[in-house]
């Protein structure tokens, strides 16, 4: 204990990190982080050309198509779950709200971080909101909404961190908290208690804001492509792109909650309290049923859109086959699996449907932003991501998973602390 | 072949109206498929009472 007291706070945190077990997963994470650090240095010292295959024909690549488009869509579980629980009154989904909000917060946080790699000059990130207002641009609206919604999500998520910080107690041995850190935590405790109370009091307004902001920017991501009718393949281009993006984001969010819940159930079963374990089946069945109705509506809208634009003849081309695979394999099939799961009360169908829906959303965003974009260009001018671009996306996903694992292991996300149980 | 925008709109709109009618009927069928067993069993909407 005396030796630990002499240790500096910096060394204490380094010791905490280096004392992590050397499991294959941790070693793989470390290798990916090293790759990420290398790509970061290259991107910000040698320029975007050194790490990506982007050019004037294809200014948006995998960092926009996957990190941003898919990240935002899959993070929609935050507003769908919290609005179901707090606005629509489905209290039986309460145990799903915290994991959903955590996933959404991490998703949006790393969307912004990934965007910095694509845009460059991170110090200019606040420019659209402070120096040069681009009020006629859809990107301005997306940036404004994502910025505000990230702040809203942070506030919604903050009770998890505050409850964890307030519950830390001093212990003996290797797990002992550094005395200076502990002293700071004890000093912070009454302030955290007050802030947490205010945040919980703000739950409903925050949820309402979350729904409004999500409605705006989820659809605006689709609107970004309205300006390029000649570049996007007719099967994917539609005047209803904003509606498609918004509706599909609801299905993506709900499916992501089921998908992430399934993984958490397998890997972090021991971290869940009785309420979470008891409610998890009901959450899957309830959200899956809602998702089947949304996917059915989405499927029908897509069919009607083909009729509206008279795109039937395109279905008999190569792109048409790819479109049909997306529509039937990753929309209609999970919709029926969800419906069958709801009828049979079979969560196995639901979990497979959730995985298919998540895959379908990724496929759809890839198609709109990359595969079907610039479809008329010769193959030599088409975009294909470079190895380093893919590695950066892997790095971003690894960061999200690592942060999620840390939060799930340390913070009261999958369980409730006794001292705060009555306040939720 | 469409010679005017009007021709195109008349054709696609009429087709879309038919599709919307079919969609409405199909959606009712889908909803009945989704909820038929709930109604028959008369199960309460309370997950804690359900056996999985």
């Amino acid at each position: 204990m005396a030796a630990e007291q002499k240790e500096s706070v910096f060394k204490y945190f380094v010791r905490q990190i280096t004392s992590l077990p050397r499991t294959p997963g941790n070693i793989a994470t470390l290798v990916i982080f090293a790759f990420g650090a290398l790509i970061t240095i290259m991107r910000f010292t040698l320029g975007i050309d050194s790490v990506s295959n982007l050019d004037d024909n294809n200014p948006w690549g995998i960092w926009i198509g996957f990190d941003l488009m898919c990240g935002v869509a899959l993070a929609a579980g935050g507003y769908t779950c919290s609005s179901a629980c707090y606005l629509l009154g489905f209290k039986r989904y309460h145990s799903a709200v915290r994991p959903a909000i955590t996933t959404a917060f991490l998703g949006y946080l790393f969307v912004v971080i990934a965007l910095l790699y694509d845009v460059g000059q991170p110090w200019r990130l606040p420019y659209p909101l402070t120096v040069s207002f681009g009020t006629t641009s859809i990107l301005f609206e997306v940036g404004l909404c994502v910025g505000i919604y990230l702040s809203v999500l942070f506030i919604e998520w903050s009770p998890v961190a505050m409850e964890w910080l307030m519950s830390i107690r001093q212990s003996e041995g290797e797990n002992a908290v550094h005395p200076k850190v502990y002293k700071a935590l004890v000093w912070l405790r009454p302030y955290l208690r007050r802030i947490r109370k205010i945040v919980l009091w703000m739950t409903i307004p925050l949820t309402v804001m979350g729904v409004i902001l999500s409605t705006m920017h989820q659809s605006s991501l689709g609107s970004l492509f309205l300006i390029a009718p000649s570049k996007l393949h007719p099967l994917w281009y539609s005047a209803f792109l904003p509606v498609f993006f918004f509706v599909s984001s609801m299905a993506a969010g709900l499916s992501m909650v089921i998908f992430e819940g399934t993984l958490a159930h397998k890997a972090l079963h021991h971290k869940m309290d009785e309420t979470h374990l008891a409610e998890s089946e009901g959450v899957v069945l309830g959200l899956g049923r809602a998702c089947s109705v949304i996917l059915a509506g989405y499927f029908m809208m897509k069919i009607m859109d083909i009729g509206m634009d008279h795109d039937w003849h395109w279905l008999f081309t190569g792109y048409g086959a790819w479109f049909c695979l997306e529509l039937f394999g990753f929309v209609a099939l999970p919709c029926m699996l969800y419906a069958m799961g709801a009828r049979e009360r079979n969560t196995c169908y639901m979990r497979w449907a959730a995985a298919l829906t998540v895959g379908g959303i990724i496929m759809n965003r890839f198609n709109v932003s990359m595969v079907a974009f610039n479809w008329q260009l010769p193959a030599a001018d088409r975009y294909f991501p470079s190895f380093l671009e893919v590695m950066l996306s892997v790095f971003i996903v690894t960061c999200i998973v690592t942060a999620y694992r840390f939060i799930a292991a340390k913070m009261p996300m999958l369980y409730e602390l006794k001292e705060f149980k009555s306040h939720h | 072949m469409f010679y005017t925008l009007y021709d195109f709109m008349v054709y696609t709109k009429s087709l879309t109206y038919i599709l919307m009618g079919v969609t409405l009927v199909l959606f009712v069928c889908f909803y009945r498929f989704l909820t038929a067993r709930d109604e028959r069993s008369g199960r309460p909407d309370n997950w804690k009472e359900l056996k999985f």
Side-chain angles (χ1 to χ4, degrees), chain A residues 176-314:
Chain A
V177 183
H178 192 283
K180 280 184 184 172
V181 175
Y182 188 69
K183 207 177 161 186
L185 286 176
V186 171
W187 179 81
L188 269 174
R189 223 170 264 170
Y191 298 104
L192 290 176
R193 205 171 288 276
R194 259 179 254 168
I195 296 168
R196 180 181 165 277
K197 258 189 181 175
I198 296 168
V199 172
L200 290 185
W201 177 76
M202 287 164 59
T203 299
I204 301 286
L206 285 172
T207 309
V208 171
M209 275 199 81
V211 174
I212 294 169
L213 292 166
S214 296
T215 311
M216 289 163 76
H217 73 260
Q218 292 282 1
S219 55
S220 295
L221 284 175
S223 313
L224 289 174
F225 294 92
L226 288 180
I227 203 170
S230 58
K231 289 188 178 180
L232 190 57
H233 192 280
L235 282 173
W236 282 274
Y237 183 84
S238 162
F240 296 104
L241 263 176
V243 182
F244 292 155
F245 267 56
F246 176 62
V247 175
S248 61
S249 84
M250 286 194 282
L254 294 175
S255 299
M256 193 61 194
V257 172
I258 298 172
F259 184 66
E260 166 242 304
T262 306
L263 297 180
H265 212 77
K266 282 195 174 161
L268 300 159
H269 192 83
H270 58 286
K271 288 281 172 191
M272 292 179 169
D273 62 8
E274 279 180 13
T275 318
H276 274 77
L277 292 171
E279 287 184 359
S280 70
E281 301 276 335
V283 167
V284 170
L285 289 173
L287 297 185
R289 179 184 292 245
C291 205
S292 74
V293 176
I294 295 169
L295 284 174
Y298 179 70
F299 178 82
M300 288 161 180
M301 284 197 304
K302 289 287 269 188
I303 296 290
M304 275 191 272
D305 182 64
I306 298 173
M308 284 278 279
D309 292 346
H310 193 58
D311 288 331
W312 301 106
H313 59 288
W314 290 109

Side-chain angles (χ1 to χ4, degrees), chain A residues 92 281-282 285-286 289 292-293 296 300 303-304 307-310 312 335-336 339-340 342-345, chain B residues 2 8 11-12 15-16 19-20 23 26-27 30-31 33-38 43 45 47-48 50 52:
Chain A
R92 58 177 179 267
E281 301 276 335
L285 289 173
R289 179 184 292 245
S292 74
V293 176
M300 288 161 180
I303 296 290
M304 275 191 272
M308 284 278 279
D309 292 346
H310 193 58
W312 301 106
C335 172
M336 287 315 290
M340 281 164 63
R343 262 170 78 93
E344 312 284 335
R345 300 191 177 275
Chain B
F2 306 107
F8 179 78
Y11 179 81
T12 55
L15 187 68
T16 308
L19 278 173
M20 284 171 88
T23 295
L26 285 178
F27 197 82
F30 174 76
Y31 197 78
F33 171 77
L34 190 67
T35 57
R37 293 202 180 169
D38 297 348
R43 273 182 201 160
D45 200 16
W47 302 112
K48 283 181 183 168
L50 298 175
F52 298 105

Side-chain angles (χ1 to χ4, degrees), chain A residues 10-196:
Chain A
F10 177 73
K11 277 186 180 171
Y12 163 76
F13 282 114
V14 171
R15 183 167 58 81
Q16 291 290 321
I17 294 166
T18 51
S19 62
L20 286 170
R22 282 162 180 74
T23 58
N26 285 349
I27 292 167
T29 306
L30 196 69
V31 172
I32 293 169
F33 279 4
F35 249 106
L38 182 74
I39 298 166
T40 306
I41 293 167
M42 285 174 71
R43 162 67 185 94
F44 290 106
T45 54
L46 304 173
I48 198 167
D49 196 38
S50 63
V51 290
S52 75
N53 281 346
L54 298 173
D55 54 33
D56 288 342
N57 281 327
N58 304 287
W60 286 355
I62 194 172
W63 295 344
I64 297 294
F66 179 71
D67 298 359
L68 193 141
M69 297 279 180
C70 298
V72 167
L74 296 174
Y79 84 88
T80 44
C81 265
S82 56
S83 57
C85 180
Y86 298 124
L87 301 182
L88 304 178
F90 293 111
K91 295 292 177 195
R92 58 177 179 267
Y93 302 138
H94 187 259
S95 60
V97 172
R98 277 196 170 187
I101 293 283
T102 306
T103 314
F105 170 60
L106 291 175
Y108 274 89
L109 178 67
F110 283 96
V111 158
V112 174
I113 291 171
L115 199 60
L116 294 179
Y117 284 86
D118 198 81
V119 177
Q121 303 190 11
W123 57 92
R124 290 198 173 193
L125 194 67
Y127 268 37
L129 309 177
T130 52
V131 178
S132 174
F133 293 95
T135 47
T136 52
S137 164
I138 292 171
L139 264 181
F140 170 76
E141 199 251 328
V142 172
L144 185 72
C145 282
V146 169
I148 300 172
Y149 189 44
L150 179 59
S151 315
V152 167
L153 278 172
F154 174 70
I155 300 169
E156 278 187 294
W157 173 80
S158 62
V160 179
M162 286 192 275
E163 285 174 17
W164 171 58
L165 291 173
M166 283 190 281
S167 68
I168 293 175
R169 295 284 179 269
Q170 188 58 288
S171 55
E172 294 290 324
E174 282 197 354
N175 293 329
V177 183
H178 192 283
K180 280 184 184 172
V181 175
Y182 188 69
K183 207 177 161 186
L185 286 176
V186 171
W187 179 81
L188 269 174
R189 223 170 264 170
Y191 298 104
L192 290 176
R193 205 171 288 276
R194 259 179 254 168
I195 296 168
R196 180 181 165 277

Side-chain angles (χ1 to χ4, degrees), chain A residues 385-397:
Chain A
S386 71
F387 173 69
L388 293 180
E389 273 181 277
V390 177
M391 277 313 293
L392 188 88
S393 292
V394 172
F395 167 63
I396 294 289
V397 173

